[in-house]
Amino acid sequence: MRRTKKIKGIIPVMITPFTENGQIDYPGLGRLVEWYIANGSDALFAVCQSSEMQYLNLEERVELAAFVRQAAAGRVPVIASGHISESLEDQLAELAAIAATGVDGMVLVTNRLDARREGGGKFIDDLTWLLERLPKQIPLGLYECPAPYRRLLTDDELTFCAGTGRFVILKDVSCDLETVKRRVALTRGTPLAIVNANAAIAYEAMKAGSRGFTGVFTNFHPDLYQWLMTEAAAHPALADELSVYLALSAMAEPMGYPKLAKLYHQRLGTFACTDSRAVTFDIHEKFWALEALIDKIVEGTEHYRLRIAAAGARYPAPISGTASSRSYR
């Protein structure tokens, strides 16, 4: 298996900026990679649902993964999924193309295995078929992607995956603390890290053994999640308070994400265009007071950054221009 940095910790699910003519905005994407790294990210998850992978053709998915890997330049590991087809043969072609980009880990989407929902042992049969054909040197991950439907692993399936020794991360989308705890126990002593994706249980999941966080609000304040993961034990009262703010902020996700996150980064100056292939309606028209809500998220983020600094805690300094709410105007 290819040697790489540990794929765990704070792992943003990357958004994909587009130009006004509908192409991937690679200069903007490069600035986005820099923002993630400067704000405490331990790895980057390119080509995922947040990246709008279901709306990208294979060439775009491959180019996206290759670009992010090159932009990260070995500073943090880059993982990518990108198999969206139904047939295993087509999925194998998609995955082989992603693997050829040299990413540090390739993530299998659980709802693509047993894509027709036949049940029984079909998931393990399909997975075994792919494992026999995929490059054995690349570390693998699992992703309980919510689209086109959320397909949670059973305990037996998770145990099988952990036992292969080839899987290093599960992006857990159970959104259930007891499930996270059980999965941590099931994979103990294996290379497979359980990394929770739900903000409401993020802090409790970390304390229960989840080895990081990979939810959508890593596109807003990954540095706060980084502090919660690495420094909370020394400041438990502040950590409890911060965890509430992070959970409440993430409740904004249904308000047009990923276009919502693009609006946030447009404010930062990361890129100019907020267009999305997945969300084509006007989110300002549908969700009233959206700008005021983002203002509050910005204010809360700065508030907790200042609180952390005042507590004398070790903290990844946010990239220049993101610490003050004035920079969002």
Side-chain angles (χ1 to χ4, degrees), residues 82 92 121 129 155 167 199 303:
L92 178 61
W129 188 90
D155 288 357
F167 290 91
H303 170 79

Side-chain angles (χ1 to χ4, degrees), residues 15 52 217 220 252-267 271 273-294 297:
I15 53 177
E52 306 181 59
F217 263 63
F220 289 76
E253 178 186 348
M255 296 182 179
Y257 180 83
K259 188 180 282 189
L260 176 72
K262 294 183 179 187
L263 180 61
Y264 178 82
H265 278 278
Q266 183 189 57
R267 286 185 173 207
F271 45 80
C273 181
T274 64
D275 287 357
S276 164
R277 296 181 188 177
V279 179
T280 56
F281 57 84
D282 184 342
I283 59 175
H284 289 94
E285 181 178 323
K286 185 169 183 178
F287 303 110
W288 304 340
L290 191 60
E291 295 288 346
L293 176 61
I294 295 178
I297 293 172

Side-chain angles (χ1 to χ4, degrees), residues 202-203 206 224-232 239 242-243 246:
Y203 185 33
M206 290 173 186
L224 295 183
Y225 285 104
Q226 178 64 245
W227 183 87
L228 195 66
M229 182 181 67
T230 58
E231 300 297 316
L242 174 61
S243 71
L246 292 174

Side-chain angles (χ1 to χ4, degrees), residues 7 12 20 40 43 48 92 95 120 142 186 290 314:
I7 300 173
E20 290 186 356
C48 55
L92 178 61
L95 290 166
L142 295 156
L186 285 170
L290 191 60
R314 186 174 65 85

Side-chain angles (χ1 to χ4, degrees), residues 4 11 74 79-80 92 109 181 197 220 227 248 263 313:
T4 187
I11 307 174
I79 60 177
L92 178 61
V109 177
K181 290 178 179 178
F220 289 76
W227 183 87
L248 293 176
L263 180 61

Side-chain angles (χ1 to χ4, degrees), residues 163-177:
T164 67
R166 295 182 65 180
F167 290 91
V168 298
I169 185 173
L170 165 65
K171 178 179 174 176
D172 178 294
V173 189
S174 69
C175 305
D176 178 72
L177 183 59

Side-chain angles (χ1 to χ4, degrees), residues 298 301-303 305-306 318-328:
V298 169
T301 297
E302 181 175 359
H303 170 79
R305 286 173 175 166
L306 293 173
I319 192 169
S320 176
T322 67
S324 171
S325 60
R326 290 188 298 273
S327 64
Y328 295 80

Side-chain angles (χ1 to χ4, degrees), residues 184-253:
V184 167
L186 285 170
T187 56
R188 188 168 288 119
T190 77
L192 181 52
I194 307 299
V195 181
N196 161 61
N198 181 263
I201 63 170
Y203 185 33
E204 296 302 322
M206 290 173 186
K207 292 191 286 186
S210 170
R211 289 189 249 172
F213 180 70
T214 181
V216 301
F217 263 63
T218 50
N219 284 294
F220 289 76
H221 32 227
D223 53 313
L224 295 183
Y225 285 104
Q226 178 64 245
W227 183 87
L228 195 66
M229 182 181 67
T230 58
E231 300 297 316
H235 305 272
L238 179 56
D240 285 337
E241 187 179 323
L242 174 61
S243 71
V244 173
Y245 165 72
L246 292 174
L248 293 176
S249 293
M251 291 297 291
E253 178 186 348

